[in-house]
Amino acid sequence: MCGILALFGAPGEENGDLRAELLSLSKLLRHRGPDWNGITCFKNCYLAHERLAINGLLSGAQPITNLTEDTALSVNGEIYNHVELRKELEAVNKDVVFTTDSDCEILLHLYKQHGADFLKKVYVNGMFSFVLYDSAKDEYLVARDPFGICPLYVGYAGDG
């Protein structure tokens, strides 16, 4: 399993010290994903990922961003029906472009196609927890599979 860490509502523009601190905290999750790590930073949001490579071995690095790089996704888990979902999405949206061979990238495109409640509209079969940040809307989505197989812990700072 992978380790994901997200910070939403960070103060101000991208901050090198805060980025370094999040990378340090992300290293504490390395036992969950020793194969690769990455971080994506926006003006007030940071997504860090510690990856255990199971699917998408060649191009499944996370966080995954869309082509315009305004939306980022970090996932722990596996989407079992990603091939079927991909075919369905490509059939209705010829403009969709997949940039990785990761089973989890489908979540990013389903969000773009159906909005924040895509999990209510589309049957996503798998075990997962994820964080998604849409910088164009300054909104984030945090979710996990219905059974809670993959852990997802949420914390709040003193100011909310």
Side-chain angles (χ1 to χ4, degrees):
M1 288 291 127
C2 300
I4 57 178
L5 176 66
L7 173 64
F8 301 110
E13 295 298 315
E14 185 177 328
N15 179 321
D17 292 336
L18 188 54
R19 183 182 190 280
E21 185 175 346
L22 252 67
L23 282 172
S24 177
L25 290 170
S26 184
K27 286 180 185 176
L28 298 173
L29 301 172
R30 181 106 354 120
H31 64 284
R32 295 193 54 83
D35 295 328
W36 190 88
N37 69 320
I39 188 166
T40 299
C41 307
F42 294 95
K43 65 177 181 176
N44 62 347
C45 169
Y46 296 78
L47 298 180
H49 192 90
E50 299 291 335
R51 183 164 191 250
L52 176 62
I54 297 173
N55 288 321
L57 300 177
L58 300 178
S59 66
Q62 293 191 41
I64 300 170
T65 58
N66 62 343
L67 287 176
T68 57
E69 296 187 348
D70 65 352
T71 305
L73 171 74
S74 187
V75 183
N76 172 26
E78 184 175 354
I79 309 303
Y80 303 136
N81 62 336
H82 69 98
V83 173
E84 295 85 3
L85 291 172
R86 183 177 179 150
K87 287 178 184 175
E88 290 172 13
L89 188 58
E90 289 173 330
V92 298
N93 185 348
K94 301 294 183 199
D95 295 328
V96 69
V97 176
F98 287 83
T99 59
T100 75
D101 59 346
S102 169
D103 58 304
C104 297
E105 185 181 0
I106 189 66
L107 298 174
L108 185 65
H109 296 291
L110 289 172
Y111 166 79
K112 284 300 203 181
Q113 182 73 25
H114 298 287
D117 59 348
F118 74 90
L119 289 171
K120 295 177 183 175
K121 297 177 180 179
V122 179
Y123 176 64
V124 177
N125 183 13
M127 55 177 216
F128 56 86
S129 59
F130 69 85
V131 293
L132 182 145
Y133 180 68
D134 185 334
S135 67
K137 298 178 181 178
D138 193 25
E139 294 179 349
Y140 57 89
L141 175 64
V142 180
R144 68 177 187 190
D145 63 88
F147 295 106
I149 296 170
C150 291
L152 179 63
Y153 301 99
V154 178
Y156 299 91
D159 60 356

